[in-house]
Amino acid sequence: MSTVKKDYKRITTRSLVEMKSNGEKISMVTAYDYTMAQMVDKAGVDVILVGDSASNVMAGHETTLPITLDQMIYHASSVVRGAKRSLVVVDLPFGSYQSDPKEALRSAIRIMKESGGHSIKLEGGSEIKDSIKKILNAGIPVMGHLGLTPQSIYKFGTYTVRAKEEEEAQKLIKDALFLQKAGCFAVVLEKVPAKLAQQVAQQLTIPVIGIGAGKVDGQVLVVNDLLGMTHEFNPRFLRRYLNLHELITNAVGQYVSDVKEEDFPNENEQY
Ligand code: KIV
């Protein structure tokens, strides 16, 4: 069971920074729809990430690149309606913030206005510093994301662990410090060595939330992976808490057979 140090009625960006200073770990999972958001919120998750991983797990794309701003807004507005306590963070999708700071701000404003989300997340460090500052200056909270940044998969060419070499590790530390100084409220570190992630978490006062980054200030997983709805994705960092793929396939299989055998509906299941 998790160690809760303070009972928050509604999680804010400030609560997360407070949790870090109180030594309380932060739980974060993705959700993309109203029903799932209701369940993970009720389970007590601190942050719901409307991740651009929706592109993979909801739409079946190979990468996160195809999802559009309109599609992210659709998913996010559904999640917001289901989240009563959790902080809702929404990914800015690929192509909506990299070209120039004005476009980045326009995209972030659309997310906040049209979905009702509480903050945005974007991938990258100093190379997009003007966009990050512009969004923050408009009063929009920003969560950073460093390490394996899936929107750059075609640059990396592989989903293997990032920042194993000294030069990339040093850049990551510099970028994390930049994100904190710029005013970001948290940083996600994806698939980097645990020792490096720990070093970053110790240097920052804002929370570092890891996925495949060892024990830091919090953890994030894609909910479809955590629940075993996906079954072909098996990275070392993933802990599956259910095998919903099998449970759902078997349950629906039973329904199909009940229909075929005219067992469903029975006398009590009709008017
Ligand atoms: O889109 C996503 O689900 C993410 C998490 C993996 C951090 O960015």
Side-chain angles (χ1 to χ4, degrees):
M1 284 292 107
S2 71
T3 313
V4 176
K5 304 254 162 90
K6 183 174 163 183
D7 191 18
Y8 293 93
K9 292 230 168 333
R10 176 106 231 181
I11 303 289
T12 66
T13 57
R14 286 181 60 150
S15 326
L16 301 185
V17 179
E18 196 177 80
M19 282 180 184
K20 171 161 180 157
S21 60
N22 288 344
E24 176 172 347
K25 298 294 179 193
I26 296 162
S27 58
M28 169 161 145
V29 294
T30 65
Y32 317 99
D33 66 71
Y34 172 73
T35 307
M36 185 65 79
Q38 274 191 317
M39 290 188 281
V40 301
D41 183 79
K42 193 173 168 191
V45 82
D46 298 310
V47 184
I48 301 180
L49 172 65
V50 185
D52 58 0
S53 49
S55 180
N56 309 104
V57 294
M58 301 303 286
H61 293 295
E62 212 171 287
T63 72
T64 57
L65 276 67
I67 200 160
T68 65
L69 187 57
D70 284 336
Q71 288 165 340
M72 287 303 299
I73 289 168
Y74 167 77
H75 286 296
S77 56
S78 310
V79 166
V80 166
R81 287 190 284 274
K84 299 284 172 267
R85 173 184 174 273
S86 319
L87 179 82
V88 179
V89 178
V90 186
D91 263 338
L92 277 186
F94 177 68
S96 72
Y97 63 97
Q98 290 92 344
S99 58
D100 78 90
K102 276 192 189 152
E103 196 194 355
L105 178 57
R106 266 197 300 275
S107 303
I109 288 176
R110 279 202 61 202
I111 297 253
M112 301 299 283
K113 241 181 160 40
E114 295 176 40
S115 78
H118 310 135
S119 91
I120 61 99
K121 173 166 87 56
L122 41 68
E123 297 181 4
S126 55
E127 58 286 347
I128 51 160
K129 65 176 187 313
D130 294 335
S131 296
I132 293 171
K133 286 180 182 164
K134 191 117 188 132
I135 295 170
L136 285 163
N137 282 343
I140 299 172
V142 175
M143 176 181 275
H145 184 159
L146 300 171
L148 176 65
T149 45
Q151 291 179 11
S152 302
I153 190 57
Y154 290 115
K155 184 175 88 179
F156 298 146
T158 159
Y159 282 101
T160 55
V161 180
R162 303 304 312 174
K164 279 162 93 174
E165 306 300 329
E166 188 58 19
E167 195 182 336
E168 195 177 335
Q170 286 308 321
K171 170 151 173 33
L172 187 142
I173 295 171
K174 253 173 95 175
D175 277 341
L177 288 167
F178 158 73
L179 291 172
Q180 169 166 285
K181 189 153 180 247
C184 292
F185 69 91
V187 184
V188 167
L189 287 188
E190 179 164 353
K191 248 187 156 176
V192 298
K195 219 167 144 190
L196 171 66
Q198 229 168 50
Q199 194 186 332
V200 173
Q202 274 161 11
Q203 285 194 43
L204 299 190
T205 53
I206 60 170
V208 171
I209 300 177
I211 173 162
K215 283 195 205 297
V216 280
D217 304 313
Q219 298 296 323
V220 54
L221 283 176
V222 167
V223 76
N224 300 52
D225 298 334
L226 178 159
L227 296 175
M229 294 165 96
T230 53
H231 67 297
E232 281 164 351
F233 179 61
N234 290 304
R236 190 204 293 202
F237 66 75
L238 175 60
R239 187 180 291 183
R240 288 192 206 284
Y241 288 83
L242 272 180
N243 185 346
L244 269 192
H245 181 87
E246 199 175 299
L247 288 171
I248 291 175
T249 310
N250 289 345
V252 177
Q254 184 62 53
Y255 163 75
V256 170
S257 123
D258 290 352
V259 170
K260 300 283 182 195
E261 306 289 323
E262 295 190 60
D263 178 73
F264 176 80
N266 65 23
E267 293 279 301
N268 297 325
E269 291 163 333
Q270 55 190 296
Y271 299 99

